[in-house]
Amino acid sequence: MMMMKQSALWRAMAFAGIGAFALAGCGSDGSDGSDGEDGKPGPVGIAIGQATSVQATVNSASVSEDGFLTLNFSLANANGVAVYGLTNADIGAVSFGRLGNEDEVGTTDIEGEPRDIWLSYFNKDKGDGHFTGSSYFKGSSCEDCLTDNQDGTYSLTLNMAIDTLGYDYGYQADATNGIYLGVKATGAAGATLVENSFYYWQPSSDTAQPRPKELIADTTCQSCHRPGHDGALSMHGGKHVTLESCTFCHADYNSYNKDIEDADGNVTGTMVFDGSIKGMAHDIHSHSFFADDGIYPQNASNCQTCHQADEALPLADHWKADKDSATCLNCHNSAYGVPSWHWGGEAIKPEYTNCVSCHNADGARGAEAGHYTQNDSARSTTLNVVFDEMTVAADSLSITTTFKILDGEDLVPLTQVDPRPYKYGGFNSAIVLNGVLGDDFLVNYQKVGFDNFTQLSDGRIQAVINDGAFKVKELVDAGATIALSSQLHVCFEGKGVRADCVVDGEGNLDGQDAPYLVSDTYFFAQDGSAVAESPRVQHAEMSACQDCHTTAITHRYTNDIDGCASCHNGTRDKKGTGSSNLAYIVHSKHYIGDFFKKTDCATCHGDNGYSLSIIANTTDAQPVAFGTTDGQRFDPATNEQLVVSPQTAACVSCHMPPYGLSASTVAHIEGMGGVIDHDGDINTIGVPASQYPAQVNESCATCHSDSQLLEAHANWGTGH
């Protein structure tokens, strides 16, 4: 049979189709049939189950006469594509409330000056006169509240009315009202999609309003509680992930009865617990700083760790207002936190519980004065150490430096610098001398103590640093860039007032305190000229550390990474066992209770600070000490340091045996030019310094590129 040409075949099929269509349109009586109804249009966008992210926007809201809320919102992915298919069960929470004041709930401390506070329309009775604002709507409790318009827009009418449970406040259409919408749904590949969105408006005029009472930005909390980490803000089933969502339920009038248990878990009593967001944040952060786990890296008395000045937040400094005793009592709630005459055995005496009646701008120290302007530790951080000059002697046997301690524009005299010996040797007050060579500091920790200081007639302080006591000639002969930083203490007599130091017969300060000052690292060429920028590669920025630590980094004397690395450098082992190199020390400290993923390199290292390619891979790069040949503290007369090549050191600062390093991995490292092993025992990392090869050429970065490192470390070892 001869086959039709393709064009003829298509014509035949088309003709047959037309004929079939004509026959199908004829009724049995030969009359034409009527047109059927138009079908519904298909959904627009992508289904929620195909989305990798969602962004919700509440577009409008209304409240019925009987107190039921309706909100209209839209859902899109990160590219703005509409997302349809959300179900009732995907509505994790809807909270609703308004801005009011303390008089409405009876918590005003200063008569006639009630603070603005958030009031929830969905209160929950916690018994014994305690209430919270946490009776929020859950979509799982309603089968027909949500309408999906199949185009990324939705309408939700709650099946619960406004109920303040007897509090003397109710719905006000002319106040700023607010809605918190929490979505928690399943997206592509079974991923959990969480979105918190908010809407503020004045119902009487139906006009959108700015967010009220914004004292702290969500991003400030998330600088420590980083999304994607085990310590992220993801409360109550992982659906509340922002500070703003917390404020809708944990309002200022919230309180709980909390059981007090002994060491065996027996309930010995109860206490009233402040359930407001500020109460919980202050209490949790304060106790977690002083607790053994030490998760919170900054003392809660440093208010500005969270209450950071922010031009975008007009209310950022409201923590200074001195109108709220409950805030004071969140932290000052023990015999250690209040003057002895305030304490009554087991609690603060009732007559002292209205803190702000005395502690205010016109009376005793209020919040700002007590924590900062009249606080010795806080005042010390405002002093600044500046190195003006550095001179190398012609014979290379001494270095002379001149520095000043500035309190604003005032010079702090040497008489106010703590002169006491340090209990572990040397002096409390010292400057630190080192030199940079080959992208690392050249010698071990060198504290130049108070006994080397001289007061100059112009108010500055001079230090003469001699070879022998310090490795001056070694630094000079190597051609190192000279580095100077400080570990100085200044004496205060209380309430932030500097004073000449007074030491009693037992070597203690007489009624004084001498906290650390903050320092920067200064660099000088050997001709005495200042070096404006660090000669070292900056693998991380101190700002990344200070996001969480603020000023409370151990030793608290430096404003930069170089100040830490000048002591914790490649020449220093940890008393013979392990490394005291900065990478090792920092990495080992940042896996606290799974709160912080040290595998998230970019959190601290930015865009490329973790890159192996920026670590020199030749013999010019300094090796890193990882212990000694006999496991004891380094002593040139009795042992040698075990050292590791620099790229390898970066890796094994985390990848330690027995879990992070195996014999096969060691063989792989050595095959790529790394120097790591001398005896076949992976528990003794490094080779004796005398056996370190004359030529080293590591090729780790060839395969372990930036992208490969990020991929290898992504989502390692956590549920995220």
Side-chain angles (χ1 to χ4, degrees), residues 210-252:
R211 175 183 172 183
K213 289 286 289 183
E214 185 177 9
L215 308 180
I216 299 173
D218 288 317
T219 52
T220 300
C221 299
Q222 290 169 341
S223 64
C224 284
H225 294 279
R226 299 182 188 275
H229 289 260
D230 288 333
L233 291 174
S234 54
M235 308 303 176
H236 306 296
K239 57 191 173 186
H240 309 310
V241 296
T242 62
L243 168 65
E244 191 172 359
S245 63
C246 302
T247 62
F248 270 76
C249 292
H250 291 284
D252 274 36

Side-chain angles (χ1 to χ4, degrees), residues 248-466:
F248 270 76
C249 292
H250 291 284
D252 274 36
Y253 57 88
N254 283 198
S255 60
Y256 304 87
N257 259 344
K258 182 180 181 181
D259 289 338
I260 301 174
E261 298 180 352
D262 61 19
D264 298 323
N266 300 312
V267 176
T268 59
T270 61
M271 64 175 290
V272 176
F273 184 78
D274 184 349
S276 69
I277 185 59
K278 61 179 173 56
M280 297 181 71
H282 291 155
D283 185 82
I284 291 168
H285 289 131
S286 178
H287 285 79
S288 65
F289 174 77
F290 292 107
D292 292 337
D293 56 21
I295 288 177
Y296 187 59
Q298 172 61 254
N299 193 325
S301 64
N302 188 342
C303 312
Q304 291 180 329
T305 299
C306 297
H307 293 276
Q308 297 177 7
D310 189 337
E311 292 181 357
L313 299 179
L315 303 181
D317 64 350
H318 263 39
W319 61 273
K320 307 174 184 179
D322 298 330
K323 292 185 177 181
D324 175 26
S325 297
T327 297
C328 308
L329 296 171
N330 294 151
C331 297
H332 297 276
N333 54 11
S334 71
Y336 304 102
V338 297
S340 58
W341 60 90
H342 284 34
W343 196 251
E346 295 184 357
I348 295 174
K349 296 176 182 178
E351 61 266 33
Y352 291 115
T353 55
N354 190 341
C355 310
V356 296
S357 63
C358 293
H359 293 277
N360 53 61
D362 299 321
R365 288 186 295 173
E368 183 178 22
H371 292 87
Y372 290 96
T373 59
Q374 296 179 35
N375 179 286
D376 294 347
S377 293
R379 278 278 291 117
S380 73
T381 66
T382 66
L383 275 58
N384 188 26
V385 181
V386 177
F387 288 87
D388 288 326
E389 300 172 359
M390 189 285 308
T391 304
V392 177
D395 60 4
S396 302
L397 295 179
S398 69
I399 286 176
T400 300
T401 184
T402 304
F403 62 92
K404 57 194 174 190
I405 306 172
L406 291 172
D407 185 354
E409 296 182 356
D410 296 334
L411 287 171
V412 177
L414 185 58
T415 55
Q416 295 184 358
V417 176
D418 184 1
R420 294 174 299 161
Y422 185 46
K423 61 183 178 181
Y424 297 119
F427 288 80
N428 284 341
S429 293
I431 61 174
V432 179
L433 170 70
N434 215 320
V436 175
L437 187 71
D439 196 37
D440 199 3
F441 288 94
L442 183 61
V443 300
N444 202 343
Y445 180 36
Q446 296 196 123
K447 285 180 65 175
V448 181
F450 182 87
D451 58 335
N452 294 276
F453 299 167
T454 302
Q455 178 77 68
L456 300 180
S457 59
D458 62 3
R460 297 184 299 166
I461 301 169
Q462 184 181 84
V464 179
I465 310 167
N466 292 308

Side-chain angles (χ1 to χ4, degrees), residues 308-635:
Q308 297 177 7
D310 189 337
E311 292 181 357
L313 299 179
L315 303 181
D317 64 350
H318 263 39
W319 61 273
K320 307 174 184 179
D322 298 330
K323 292 185 177 181
D324 175 26
S325 297
T327 297
C328 308
L329 296 171
N330 294 151
C331 297
H332 297 276
N333 54 11
S334 71
Y336 304 102
V338 297
S340 58
W341 60 90
H342 284 34
W343 196 251
E346 295 184 357
I348 295 174
K349 296 176 182 178
E351 61 266 33
Y352 291 115
T353 55
N354 190 341
C355 310
V356 296
S357 63
C358 293
H359 293 277
N360 53 61
D362 299 321
R365 288 186 295 173
E368 183 178 22
H371 292 87
Y372 290 96
T373 59
Q374 296 179 35
N375 179 286
D376 294 347
S377 293
R379 278 278 291 117
S380 73
T381 66
T382 66
L383 275 58
N384 188 26
V385 181
V386 177
F387 288 87
D388 288 326
E389 300 172 359
M390 189 285 308
T391 304
V392 177
D395 60 4
S396 302
L397 295 179
S398 69
I399 286 176
T400 300
T401 184
T402 304
F403 62 92
K404 57 194 174 190
I405 306 172
L406 291 172
D407 185 354
E409 296 182 356
D410 296 334
L411 287 171
V412 177
L414 185 58
T415 55
Q416 295 184 358
V417 176
D418 184 1
R420 294 174 299 161
Y422 185 46
K423 61 183 178 181
Y424 297 119
F427 288 80
N428 284 341
S429 293
I431 61 174
V432 179
L433 170 70
N434 215 320
V436 175
L437 187 71
D439 196 37
D440 199 3
F441 288 94
L442 183 61
V443 300
N444 202 343
Y445 180 36
Q446 296 196 123
K447 285 180 65 175
V448 181
F450 182 87
D451 58 335
N452 294 276
F453 299 167
T454 302
Q455 178 77 68
L456 300 180
S457 59
D458 62 3
R460 297 184 299 166
I461 301 169
Q462 184 181 84
V464 179
I465 310 167
N466 292 308
D467 192 51
F470 305 99
K471 296 178 180 179
V472 173
K473 194 172 190 310
E474 181 177 341
L475 296 177
V476 175
D477 288 350
T481 299
I482 304 302
L484 293 161
S485 56
S486 70
Q487 288 185 340
L488 297 173
H489 300 252
V490 164
C491 295
F492 290 84
E493 63 182 12
K495 297 186 178 180
V497 178
R498 286 188 286 109
D500 287 352
C501 299
V502 179
V503 181
D504 63 23
E506 297 180 354
N508 300 313
L509 290 176
D510 188 4
Q512 296 177 322
D513 189 23
Y516 270 112
L517 306 188
V518 176
S519 172
D520 296 299
T521 305
Y522 288 78
F523 296 95
F524 295 90
Q526 292 194 14
D527 63 4
S529 59
V531 177
E533 295 184 0
S534 171
R536 298 178 62 248
V537 172
Q538 298 297 296
H539 295 279
E541 295 294 335
M542 183 58 81
S543 59
C545 306
Q546 290 173 335
D547 278 344
C548 290
H549 293 275
T550 317
T551 57
I553 298 171
T554 301
H555 312 315
R556 204 187 67 176
Y557 73 95
T558 182
N559 255 333
D560 51 51
I561 295 291
D562 288 320
C564 302
S566 63
C567 296
H568 292 285
N569 58 63
T571 69
R572 189 179 180 198
D573 59 86
K574 189 193 292 182
K575 298 180 181 179
T577 304
S579 174
S580 191
N581 182 46
L582 185 60
Y584 178 90
I585 293 296
V586 172
H587 290 159
S588 67
K589 296 291 186 182
H590 283 81
Y591 224 174
I592 304 174
D594 287 338
F595 181 87
F596 193 95
K597 287 195 305 181
K598 65 181 177 183
T599 54
D600 183 358
C601 312
T603 294
C604 296
H605 292 287
D607 293 336
N608 66 351
Y610 54 85
S611 176
L612 289 175
S613 64
I614 61 178
I615 302 175
N617 65 344
T618 65
T619 309
D620 294 334
Q622 298 295 315
V624 177
F626 264 80
T628 59
T629 51
D630 63 1
Q632 303 300 313
R633 184 186 290 273
F634 176 57
D635 182 346

